[in-house]
Amino acid sequence: MSVLVTGGAGYIGSHMVLELLDAGEKVVVIDNLSTGYRWAVAPGADLVVADIADTDVVRQTIRDHDVNAIIHFAGSIVVPESVADPLGYYLNNTVKSRGLIATAVECGVKNFIFSSTAAVYGNPKENPVTETAALSPMSPYGSSKLMTEIMLTDTSRAHDFRFVALRYFNVAGADYKGRSGQSTPKATHLIKVACETAVGKRGQMEVFGTDYPTSDGTCVRDYIQVNDLAAAHRAALRYLRSGGASEIFNCGYSKGYSVHEVIAAVKRASGNDFNVVLSPRRAGDPAAIVAASSKIRDALGWMPQHDNLDEIVLQALNWERGVDRLKASAT
């Protein structure tokens, strides 16, 4: 039996593949390589280059590899881009997810883990935000993910099908063994952008908004290291396989850092006082969002191993310094 990882050639998906292979699982990846890379899929996993919208390919892959669980990462993730292209996000994140869920039900795949987002909360009234907080997305990205959560909930009530949706906060860092990292083209994640600037791949970086109601006027986020996030997915897989009911969990550390604090950490680690430009707010950005994480710790026994901003930043910097060599060696 195998685990199907959609989007397994991307940033988080490639780390999930490593986590599963390290645990002795058989893994098959479906990825259209629009933002992922063939070289990012670890040896030992089978790669099917296709879009999850191709139902025939998904169905055949499930049957050929005896898939008994799906971990679904494939989709679009950039908040400002979703504001500019809402229909594209509803297609990639909602319509295609609907097709994948339908194929899973048709093929008898009972366990499904979904890559959701803290963006479903919008700008929460209280932090840390719990899973029972009001859902009020501020962007089509958040709305498209929430729609998929709703589809999963309804499907689990109608069929022999159970899911875990993991609401990520801000994913950062790189594999602690140096095997993978964030290589997404034109990435907008703060730590990724700051590290690219620190190593000279960008001439400068922007801070979007300095007038938020936070300690220093910049946005505050909860940053979760990518291996810890992958471990949360494997804990969710164990939970479902042992008969756990459908559930939704936050994935974060319950502590927040401002944009200025993160940039300061990157400057310390790199030794480079790079240029930072202050710019107006971006549409769709909440002022502050920090995870309440007791539910996932209690229910799944998840224990983070890399809860340290300086460690996360150093991993990202080291990846940025070596990723070009890795890409060249893989081509």
Side-chain angles (χ1 to χ4, degrees), residues 188-190 193-194 197 202-210 259-260 263 274-282:
T188 60
H189 297 74
L190 174 61
V193 170
T197 310
R202 297 174 184 243
Q204 62 184 34
M205 66 169 293
E206 291 181 272
V207 171
F208 296 100
T210 57
V259 173
H260 281 327
I263 292 172
F274 50 84
N275 190 30
V276 176
V277 176
L278 304 182
S279 298
R281 297 185 184 189
R282 296 183 303 189

Side-chain angles (χ1 to χ4, degrees), residues 1 10 17 19 31 55 70 137 159 185 191 214 237 247 255 275 294 307 319:
M1 293 187 290
V17 170
E19 177 78 17
D31 198 303
T55 302
I70 294 173
H159 298 280
I191 291 178
T214 60
L237 182 60
E247 262 296 2
K255 65 177 72 170
N275 190 30
S294 59
D307 179 5
W319 176 257

Side-chain angles (χ1 to χ4, degrees), residues 49 74 163 172 180 188 213 218 224 284 308 322 327:
V49 179
F163 76 93
S180 191
T188 60
T218 64
I224 177 171
N308 182 288
K327 288 180 181 179

Side-chain angles (χ1 to χ4, degrees), residues 162-164 234-247 249 299-300:
R162 289 166 302 116
F163 76 93
V164 167
R234 191 159 70 88
L237 182 60
R238 289 195 299 267
Y239 166 83
L240 288 174
R241 284 174 169 170
S242 65
S246 296
E247 262 296 2
F249 299 103
L300 303 188

Side-chain angles (χ1 to χ4, degrees), residues 78-87 89 138-141 282-285:
V78 181
V79 169
E81 184 181 73
S82 78
V83 175
D85 182 23
L87 294 178
Y89 270 66
M138 296 174 62
S139 67
Y141 167 64
R282 296 183 303 189
D285 280 345

Side-chain angles (χ1 to χ4, degrees), residues 100-185:
L100 180 65
I101 295 165
T103 305
V105 170
E106 174 193 339
C107 294
V109 179
K110 296 177 172 53
N111 301 319
F112 195 103
I113 300 172
F114 174 54
S115 167
S116 192
T117 174
V120 300
Y121 297 117
N123 199 5
K125 293 181 180 180
E126 295 183 357
N127 278 298
V129 60
T130 69
E131 290 86 349
T132 58
L135 304 177
S136 184
M138 296 174 62
S139 67
Y141 167 64
S143 296
S144 68
K145 291 287 192 174
L146 179 56
M147 289 178 182
T148 300
E149 286 190 12
I150 293 168
M151 289 190 295
L152 287 166
T153 299
D154 291 341
T155 302
S156 70
R157 291 169 178 162
H159 298 280
D160 183 12
F161 174 90
R162 289 166 302 116
F163 76 93
V164 167
L166 298 177
R167 291 173 177 164
Y168 307 169
F169 283 63
N170 283 50
V171 189
D175 174 55
Y176 70 97
K177 295 182 180 179
R179 297 169 295 177
S180 191
Q182 189 170 20
S183 304
T184 311

